[in-house]
Amino acid sequence: MSNFTNTQILPKPIKGPGLTNAGIVVLQFLLILLVETIEYSFTNVGIATGIAILLAIFGGYYLGRPGTTFVTAVNPPIAFFISTVLLIGTVGGAGLHLARFGLDFVTTFGATAPYLIIGTGLGWVNHLWGAKFRALLSRNS
């Protein structure tokens, strides 16, 4: 008979205090760029990139140092914007055709808008009020 009462918490994959602000920016940008490139190569951008945006936000909170919540909340929309501009001009084949570029840009942002809004909203709530909630929880325990 096995004992299920002893649960072990897995250690974080990063040794030390966690990622700095620059590390979070690079991590989020590369994750969003990788997933968006794969998805854009086969179909239009949509749910997979949206989930990657949410994972980038939660991964930034999990792997980041204390005090990096602002960067974790602000960076994903910026990283998504930059990766979208790069991909539409290269993988998307729009090149310098302004009408096609604009149409692809609006379509891509429209497909991922719910994920951007939810993820960024949760990120800002965690940044602005997360410390207060954590203080209340630790005081009540």
Side-chain angles (χ1 to χ4, degrees):
M1 182 159 264
S2 63
N3 186 2
F4 289 108
T5 58
N6 289 335
T7 58
Q8 294 179 349
I9 298 174
L10 295 174
K12 288 186 179 181
I14 297 175
K15 304 295 181 205
L19 291 174
T20 61
N21 287 334
I24 290 174
V25 168
V26 170
L27 172 81
Q28 289 178 334
F29 177 74
L30 290 178
L31 177 67
I32 292 169
L33 180 66
L34 175 70
V35 173
E36 188 178 5
T37 302
I38 292 169
E39 190 174 23
Y40 202 70
S41 296
F42 296 110
T43 63
N44 291 334
V45 175
I47 192 166
T49 303
I51 292 172
I53 291 169
L54 294 176
L55 285 175
I57 292 171
F58 294 126
Y61 285 122
Y62 179 69
L63 298 173
R65 292 181 180 184
T68 58
T69 59
F70 178 74
V71 171
T72 303
V74 169
N75 184 56
I78 297 169
F80 179 66
F81 171 77
I82 293 170
S83 65
T84 301
V85 169
L86 289 173
L87 289 175
I88 289 174
T90 57
V91 177
L96 296 176
H97 299 291
L98 200 55
R100 173 122 190 247
F101 182 86
L103 179 63
D104 287 348
F105 186 77
V106 169
T107 303
T108 301
F109 266 83
T112 57
Y115 303 100
L116 282 170
I117 292 169
I118 290 169
T120 305
L122 290 175
W124 277 108
V125 165
N126 188 29
H127 172 68
L128 295 174
W129 294 293
K132 293 178 185 177
F133 290 141
R134 284 188 291 277
L136 284 174
L137 290 175
S138 65
R139 197 176 311 155
N140 291 335
S141 1

